[in-house]
Amino acid sequence: MIRDKQRLDQLLATTRQFVRELAMPNEARVEREDRIPDEIVQTMRELGLFGWSIPEAYGGSGLTTEELALANMEISQCSVAYRVRIGINTGVGSESLVQDGTPEQKQRYLPRLASGEFTGALALTEPEAGSDATALQTVARRDASGGYVINGHKRYITLAPIADLITVFARSEEGGRPADSISAFLIERGAAGMTCSAPTPKMGQEGGPIGEVHLRDVRAAADAIIGGVPGKGFRTVMKTLNKQRINLAALAIGPAIRMLDEAVAYANRRRQFGKPIGGFQLVQAMLADCKVEIEAAKALVLETARKRDRGEDVTMDVSMCKLYATEMCGRVADRVVQIFGGQGYVKESGIERFYRDVRAFRIYEGTSQIHQITIGKRLLSDAVARSLETTQ
Ligand SMILES: Cc1cc2nc3c(=O)[nH]c(=O)nc-3n(C[C@H](O)[C@H](O)[C@H](O)COP(=O)(O)OP(=O)(O)OC[C@H]3O[C@@H](n4cnc5c(N)ncnc54)[C@H](O)[C@@H]3O)c2cc1C
């Protein structure tokens, strides 16, 4: 749903200007220094990028799912690190609070996340709990004061090395289904017993650090649980990820658009056998395959976003978006390296950076295999439900 086209166009134009004039010229620097320079983060704050998805009542822009998808397709046309820097605040770092936070929790944290004063993080994954998140072993035990003492170890947590507010998922309830025993705790940087590691070295996305979170006897008050009700954390994270998968799919489209733009320009520029390589039909085929897949992903993501804005069930659709758009981006990256030839493999062009950066999209927020399973299961169960309806 687009509420005010003129306002949205203005936001998209401002974002495009930031991407072209400030972010792109600094991509190599961000990679080299493995951080977004402070002055660029400050500009991102001033442009309101951190508050895109946060309701206007808390200082954000309150973008609808469709508006956010369009904005995400713009911001992700510069190197991935930039959107990682804002993406936790506009995604998993705030969405749990937006969805299920108490009025006090929203008032306390959402304005600071929206302004970019606070950087958020979401800590679910553990050494023994990846795709099977319900297997998490971090424990929150109730103490005599009615609060909790949390112990555990999280890994691969985006922005943990610099985060001010971490949503930590821990098992607080005994008995029942594993998913019903998990609570989401809001823990601020500096909480006694919580340490965040230095950035974990990784394949790409330099400037968008991930790290470990160690929790040793960390004390949390009962009102640090999102929504104030224990045992609801898994449902909260699933609701959050439901929206986040649309976000991530849109964020996989921007890099594909950028890579294709670069490939088209290169194909017109680079000459072999006496003419531009774009004149060869085998190169044209690679460009065409990229374009068709990008447009297909856009159509799928925007239609799913509209469905979500209409309040329809999009559980299977978000998996289709995440699976298709991230796999599409990987295929585009591979073809574009091919079109660039040796120039695509060396650092100079920046294409190899995109190739490495986008590889993670198929792993986090549900691997491709997990989404295939979700889609397959849903198709089967819907068919059973339909056949039961017709036999009744
Ligand atoms: C750059 C980066 C940033 C991240 N940021 C965050 C973050 O901010 N917060 C957070 O909590 N986590 C984060 N993660 C963790 C991420 O969500 C997990 O890596 C992901 O869920 C997969 O878990 P795993 O790595 O343990 O792999 P595993 O679950 O061990 O999977 C390994 C392989 O087995 C396959 N597999 C597993 N189960 C099945 C199955 N049932 N059927 C078929 N195949 C299966 C997987 O598809 C995969 O191919 C991040 C990871 C990366 C790489």
Side-chain angles (χ1 to χ4, degrees), residues 56-67:
E56 285 169 309
Y58 300 102
S61 316
L63 297 187
T64 64
T65 319
E66 184 180 4
E67 291 167 347

Side-chain angles (χ1 to χ4, degrees), residues 66 69-70 73 297-307 321:
E66 184 180 4
L70 289 164
M73 287 180 206
K298 257 196 214 172
L300 178 63
V301 168
L302 291 176
E303 182 49 28
T304 302
R306 287 183 208 114
K307 269 174 102 169
C321 289

